[in-house]
Amino acid sequence: MSGLDGGGRGSGRSSSRGGGGGRARGRGSSGSTVTYNPPPPQMAPAQPPPQMAVAPPVPLSGVPFSHPSSSSGVGSLSREVSEKLTMEPAIMFPPRPGFGTVGTKCLVRANHFLVDVADADLHHYDVTITPKVTGKKVNRAIMKQLIDVYKESHLGRWCPVYDGRKSLYTAGPLPFESKEIVIKLTEEDCSDGSSRPAWKERQFKVAIKLASKPDLHYLREFLSRRHFECPQEAIQVLNVVLRAKPSQIYTEVGSSFFHTSLGPRGDLGNGIEYWSGYYQSLRLTQMGLSLNIDVSARSFYEPILVSEFVANHCRLSNLSKPLSVQDHIKVKRALRGVRVKLIYMIYAKTCKIIGVSRDPISQLTFTLDDKRANVSVVKYFREKYNVLCSIVEGQRYTKKLNEQQVRSLLRATCQRPNVREGNVTKMVQVNNFEVEEPITKEFGMHVRKELALIDARVLNPPALKYHDTGRDKIVNPSCGQWNMINKKMVNGGKVDFWTCVNFSSGYWNMSEDFCSELVKMCNSKGMVFRRTPSIAMRSARSDRIDQTLVDVYKESAGLNKPLQLLIIILPDQTGSYGIVSQCCKPVQASKFSNQYFENVALKINAKVGGRNTVLNDAILRRIPLVTDVPTFIFGADVTHPPPGEDSSSSIAAIVASMDWPEVTKYHGIVSAQTHRVEIIQDLYKQTKDPQKGLVEGGMVRELLLAFFKSTRQKPSRIILYRAGVSEGQFSQVLLYEMDAIRKVLKSLYNVYYSWFTFSSFQACCSLQEGYMPRVTFVVVQKRHHTRLFPTDRNKTDRSGNILPGTVVDTSICHPTEFDFYLNSHAGIQGTSKPTRYHVLIDENGFTADILQVLTNSLCYTYARCTKSVSIVPPAYYAHLAARRARYYIGDEMSDGDKVRPLPSIRDNVKEVMFYI
């Protein structure tokens, strides 16, 4: 999943989570702590009336709000969103409709620690450092020097906390509202400990000016549900307070801290190592202020000689020869911006790498100051200085890890739930968030040491329907899994035209035997799979993949028998998606395992238009707010380029159900868009046609038309599962994407009226102003740091994790909004991560139970395996489709604001689940 994000995918502005609330200067009751007893759970009504949590975003009079096409720039999109957010009133997300009651009650522990805060007279000061410094490390060194020297004389003996950028916070007023202080700093005060500075001493002017007085009164009011705007500034102050000490002693990466003293440190290969650390963030929850802490690990450069790094990174044994073009590019990318330490004689200094020579330095010469003699770089520095150049310790490696490095990192950091829970507790003890600490004591903060004990429920798994000709027609999964023994696919696909290409040199003669067994398995599970290929199978070298696939395509087209399926056996590559293909890893394929053949058969059946299983309640029309009226369920996600790629496009994908009421089969479409833009730009678009004039289109329109064609129904209800959106982007994404969806619906329903002539359908397609399907917009977040641990070791899955179906909507969830955590899958290794679902708009009136049970049930319909999955399939499929589409663009880069469109996908491919 792309990225499936809960707090780290970019930043944004959310009116319901911040704004000016923290700048109010009034005071509430004093002497109390920021804790409260939450109201008792409310019973959700059996059939609540639909509610419009967010009014349709109609532009203000005279201020049009247009949607950019796929080629529009990130600048114009940002301006449009900013203008829209400024024009619209604060977006209020739907309130929680009550708490769920379905399921077996249980207790779990969460890595959340309750935070008590006494009343404090918070003050926020703006900090301006001249000359400007870009690095937070130097900024912190400057402010540390200022506090150490002037605390008694200038700062009123307060212990300020600094965020490393522009803000300074105190627990009381400084003796001034504005002041400028001069600080003298040597590089030793802010470097890695080198003995000789690059500059002996620099002078900085620090201007401090009162900005606001964040008030904890509004924080208490918000937690007590008497104030509806989140006091974001007060939360920011408290977050900085809790980060003050670790920021000084550990390496800070986003919201996480790393150090060699915090846990294991190990080699990842190619000059990269991993460090252990932890994540921390202050959150507003139903139980009050909560500090979310989780153990973590990140990749860092090894502090080795640069020459050693080059040898390791490119696996070179001889550095005396010039680097190849590929190795030079690889090294240049890996070392660009890396700080290195130059050691010569008894001195050392640090500098940053800005480029790498392709030729060995022994072959590089320069002219000495006398302008008469040329000398090699190696000879000059070796004879005069005896220089050694090594990488400075503690620098994060931000490039994409290769597969071997990812496996090594996962293997090193994988922790069973009981081990992870113990390590989380140790991190709290290591940081000693106690009132005895000078800073936390001054701000009146205290973090409790016990993990939160919270109420949870375990939802029952859904019954799954298989074909009536199989011995087992209905299956009830156990602990999140089942198997295909004695079962047949509920709808077997048909494959008449197929072939196989083998690119594996190690298993050159395997194709016929492998395909024979695979076809046999597909037929035994209910498919109609022709036993002989329509085009002769063939083997080819891995360096001729493109040409071989072109030859297969041409041969198929020449026989007027387009291939329905291309089976590919190859080492590392993937197939072309002009044809539906199934790629098989030769090592796995060569085992001829029945389990492997079953799994491949499941994928093939979905790819050729079949269905493996459906929810029995869907067949019986017993799924509330889904099977009663035509319902369009779709998932959306945007995946971004890996770290280090600065201009390649982001990929948006949407998949939508085409088989109401079963909601199991999803068509998918993809679109390239501006680099690292999270909002999906092509949901709705308008183009000018010389003959037709203004033509409306977009991804949602295309899928809705496909739904109409497939079901002969117009949806009365739309449910969107949107993956990859962080909390800071909620307002932006909802505002823009809901506006696009409404424009699509309005344009499409006007057109749709003319397609049918029978009166009964015309009557239900009223074109009255404002009539549209009701929408429920749910964000799916996987990149969060909440973990749930079992309290009863006898009620766990085989990996020691909480049971599949465990849902939490109390204590650690949002104080007022409609969200919940759902662990819908069984753990395999390590600690399971629940998925967080947050409802941003709900016009359909879902209760907590209905939405939670629906989401959990859908997680059992994933087509690739006989297990429940951790993310609701529409969002999962959208992520897979976007990731698959990245192969279409290869190494193409976007040109500034212009995005190269993706190659078109053939209709026969687009209409099946090619991406799984």
Side-chain angles (χ1 to χ4, degrees), residues 202-247:
R202 287 181 68 181
Q203 183 170 289
F204 298 91
K205 291 182 179 179
V206 182
I208 302 174
K209 183 179 180 180
L210 179 65
S212 65
K213 297 178 181 179
D215 199 330
L216 292 176
H217 167 71
Y218 289 105
L219 177 58
R220 296 189 187 89
E221 293 290 292
F222 180 82
L223 291 172
S224 300
R225 306 181 189 180
R226 293 191 295 267
H227 184 71
F228 296 103
E229 188 173 1
C230 174
Q232 191 62 43
E233 191 174 16
I235 297 298
Q236 173 67 16
V237 177
L238 302 180
N239 241 327
V240 174
V241 172
L242 291 177
R243 298 175 63 84
K245 179 183 175 182
S247 295

Side-chain angles (χ1 to χ4, degrees), residues 33 38 86 108 183-184 221 229 318 335 342 344 350 359 374 380 556 615 624 639 653 658 685 719 722 786 818 854 889:
T33 59
T86 302
V108 297
I183 295 295
K184 294 182 179 180
E221 293 290 292
E229 188 173 1
N318 186 0
L335 289 178
L342 303 177
Y344 51 95
T350 60
D359 297 321
N374 280 352
Y380 177 82
S556 170
L615 297 170
T639 63
M658 294 290 136
K685 61 182 178 181
I719 302 171
R722 175 65 160 92
T786 293
F818 189 3
L854 169 64
I889 61 176

Side-chain angles (χ1 to χ4, degrees), residues 114-134:
L114 193 62
V115 180
D116 298 321
V117 183
D119 194 31
D121 188 15
L122 301 181
H123 281 64
H124 170 207
Y125 293 86
D126 280 336
V127 173
T128 303
I129 299 176
T130 308
K132 185 177 180 180
V133 178
T134 57

Side-chain angles (χ1 to χ4, degrees), residues 515-571:
C515 289
S516 176
E517 292 298 317
L518 179 58
V519 170
K520 180 180 177 181
M521 177 62 73
C522 289
N523 284 322
S524 72
K525 294 303 175 185
M527 292 186 66
V528 180
F529 205 124
R530 183 180 176 182
R531 294 187 178 276
T532 57
S534 55
I535 298 175
M537 300 183 199
R538 67 199 68 193
S539 296
R541 299 198 313 266
S542 59
D543 60 352
R544 289 184 53 80
I545 291 177
D546 290 344
Q547 185 58 51
T548 303
L549 294 178
V550 169
D551 293 343
V552 170
Y553 176 79
K554 288 181 178 179
E555 188 173 345
S556 170
L559 296 174
N560 292 321
K561 296 179 180 179
L563 289 180
Q564 295 169 279
L565 179 69
L566 174 62
I567 300 171
I568 300 175
I569 303 173
L570 69 164

Side-chain angles (χ1 to χ4, degrees), residues 31 106 132 277 326 402 456 511 529 696 814 900:
C106 64
K132 185 177 180 180
Q326 294 82 359
N402 60 40
S511 303
F529 205 124
E696 295 176 299
H814 195 278
R900 297 183 183 181

